[in-house]
Amino acid sequence: MTVYYKTELVDGLAIFYREAGNQENPTILLLHGFPSSSHMYRNLIAELSDEYHIIAPDYPGFGNSDQPSMADFAYTFDNLANIMDAFVEQLQLKKYSIYVHDYGAPVGFRLAVKHPERVQAIISQNGMLSSWAPARMYWENPADEASINNVLGLLKPEFTKHQYVNGTRNPEMISPDSWNLDQYVLERPGNSEIQLALLYDYQDNLNQYPRWHEYFRTYQPPMLVAWGKNDMFFGPDGALAYQKDLKDVDVHLLNTGHFPLEEDLEISVTLIKRFLGERIKELENGVQ
């Protein structure tokens, strides 16, 4: 298994991405969340690249991609999705499954709504917002010092680590490399303002829910839900909610936290290979 570490210039921005696997195989587009990057998929890429073509980009302001200033780039989920859409266009990805985690869900669902004909299947992992008090306080009072300080607390090293180990069965099995790498990016000059902007804009994702639900009901993409049920942000209700709109949805609640791939990689790989192996074969044979 060989992973290539590449950069694509998209609308003047250097977008870093990891690529592995034979391009003739079905493609999986891996979309990361907060505060991570494509690094969160490093082990998954190794396990899937024997059967799939894998593309895992970093958003602007995350990982190894460019971090344009707030003056030069509006950090909204619409714009992140627009950059990813242009990125996919430049790589000429005509068909793919999307794997969405955390922020990857609002980015990926925007791509799906815009190009439903491209999406063969969706893998959702801990990526639909629950009612979370600190975020809502900030939305309601974005200039309030207490609200700002509450949100800035999400960017501190101890909380970054907490996101990885909270809800896990064995925290000592979780590598500190992940949260240390995330923290390095969070502490770059100007990054805290970027994260504040995105968290404030997250409320627009709630306004998009009717469009996404309509997309699910209309196009019925096959959906695998492999969800850490102990997630402090995204509870099990978010995983079960997909069953309201989708006929072909396979839900698995894993006994772990916000980053299931850190503790339950093997079961995740098994579920993905079985699910995509069946669904993509059906699509290729014209079975709906």
Side-chain angles (χ1 to χ4, degrees), residues 247-265:
K247 299 174 183 177
D248 183 7
V249 55
D250 188 12
V251 179
H252 298 264
L253 298 178
L254 309 180
N255 185 24
T256 190
H258 183 62
F259 288 96
L261 295 178
E262 297 295 319
E263 189 168 40
D264 282 333
L265 175 68

Side-chain angles (χ1 to χ4, degrees), residues 228-247:
K229 67 177 182 178
N230 306 325
D231 191 335
M232 62 184 295
F233 301 111
F234 308 105
D237 289 348
L240 299 174
Y242 291 114
Q243 296 174 329
K244 298 176 183 178
D245 295 322
L246 295 170
K247 299 174 183 177

Side-chain angles (χ1 to χ4, degrees), residues 28-33 36-48 54 56 99-102 123-126 163-164 166 168-169 173-175 178 224-229 231 254-273:
I28 307 176
L29 178 64
L30 307 179
L31 298 173
H32 69 82
S36 54
S37 66
S38 59
H39 179 262
M40 69 166 285
Y41 292 122
R42 66 202 179 282
N43 297 323
L44 184 68
I45 291 170
E47 296 292 336
L48 295 181
I54 309 296
Y99 188 123
V100 298
H101 176 264
D102 193 90
I123 303 161
S124 180
Q125 185 178 87
N126 298 69
Q163 292 184 68
Y164 277 90
N166 179 258
T168 61
R169 301 183 300 280
M173 291 181 61
I174 312 303
S175 171
S178 295
L224 169 64
V225 182
W227 203 275
K229 67 177 182 178
D231 191 335
L254 309 180
N255 185 24
T256 190
H258 183 62
F259 288 96
L261 295 178
E262 297 295 319
E263 189 168 40
D264 282 333
L265 175 68
E266 290 186 7
I267 188 171
S268 297
V269 170
T270 299
L271 291 172
I272 292 167
K273 285 191 171 183

Side-chain angles (χ1 to χ4, degrees), residues 8-281:
E8 185 78 9
L9 193 63
V10 181
D11 292 346
L13 299 178
I15 300 300
F16 171 86
Y17 67 104
R18 301 163 196 254
E19 182 173 15
N22 189 331
Q23 294 185 13
E24 298 300 315
N25 289 336
T27 296
I28 307 176
L29 178 64
L30 307 179
L31 298 173
H32 69 82
F34 165 86
S36 54
S37 66
S38 59
H39 179 262
M40 69 166 285
Y41 292 122
R42 66 202 179 282
N43 297 323
L44 184 68
I45 291 170
E47 296 292 336
L48 295 181
S49 61
D50 59 335
E51 298 181 25
Y52 295 94
H53 174 224
I54 309 296
I55 297 289
D58 293 348
Y59 313 136
F62 291 79
N64 293 297
S65 287
D66 274 352
Q67 180 183 296
S69 70
M70 297 275 288
D72 295 327
F73 184 82
Y75 284 89
T76 66
F77 285 90
D78 278 348
N79 277 345
L80 293 186
N82 289 338
I83 289 292
M84 289 297 102
D85 185 40
F87 169 80
V88 166
E89 290 275 0
Q90 289 181 203
L91 266 58
Q92 300 182 7
L93 303 180
K94 304 301 183 184
K95 297 281 186 181
Y96 49 81
S97 298
I98 54 174
Y99 188 123
V100 298
H101 176 264
D102 193 90
Y103 279 7
V107 173
F109 294 162
R110 280 173 168 83
L111 295 183
V113 167
K114 191 170 185 178
H115 301 290
E117 74 286 354
R118 295 179 181 174
V119 178
Q120 295 182 300
I122 299 175
I123 303 161
S124 180
Q125 185 178 87
N126 298 69
M128 293 292 274
L129 184 70
S130 59
S131 179
W132 198 52
R136 294 182 181 275
M137 287 175 59
Y138 181 55
W139 298 343
E140 295 169 2
N141 302 286
D144 179 70
E145 185 175 351
S147 297
I148 294 172
N149 287 335
N150 280 339
V151 174
L152 288 176
L154 306 180
L155 311 180
K156 294 185 180 298
E158 55 270 24
F159 192 80
T160 303
K161 175 182 177 179
H162 188 62
Q163 292 184 68
Y164 277 90
V165 301
N166 179 258
T168 61
R169 301 183 300 280
N170 190 347
E172 293 182 349
M173 291 181 61
I174 312 303
S175 171
D177 295 344
S178 295
W179 64 75
N180 287 333
L181 181 61
D182 290 351
Q183 193 62 37
Y184 173 80
V185 176
L186 288 175
E187 292 181 358
R188 290 190 303 208
N191 197 270
S192 60
E193 290 82 4
I194 288 169
Q195 301 305 332
L196 282 173
L198 285 171
L199 186 60
Y200 184 76
D201 187 64
Y202 202 105
Q203 60 190 303
D204 183 58
N205 294 329
L206 305 187
N207 299 329
Q208 302 298 320
Y209 275 27
R211 295 183 64 194
W212 299 341
H213 287 301
E214 181 61 27
Y215 160 76
F216 293 145
R217 289 191 295 267
T218 301
Y219 292 95
Q220 291 293 319
M223 173 85 76
L224 169 64
V225 182
W227 203 275
K229 67 177 182 178
N230 306 325
D231 191 335
M232 62 184 295
F233 301 111
F234 308 105
D237 289 348
L240 299 174
Y242 291 114
Q243 296 174 329
K244 298 176 183 178
D245 295 322
L246 295 170
K247 299 174 183 177
D248 183 7
V249 55
D250 188 12
V251 179
H252 298 264
L253 298 178
L254 309 180
N255 185 24
T256 190
H258 183 62
F259 288 96
L261 295 178
E262 297 295 319
E263 189 168 40
D264 282 333
L265 175 68
E266 290 186 7
I267 188 171
S268 297
V269 170
T270 299
L271 291 172
I272 292 167
K273 285 191 171 183
R274 184 179 67 192
F275 183 84
L276 290 186
E278 294 172 354
R279 299 323 188 272
I280 291 178
K281 184 179 294 185

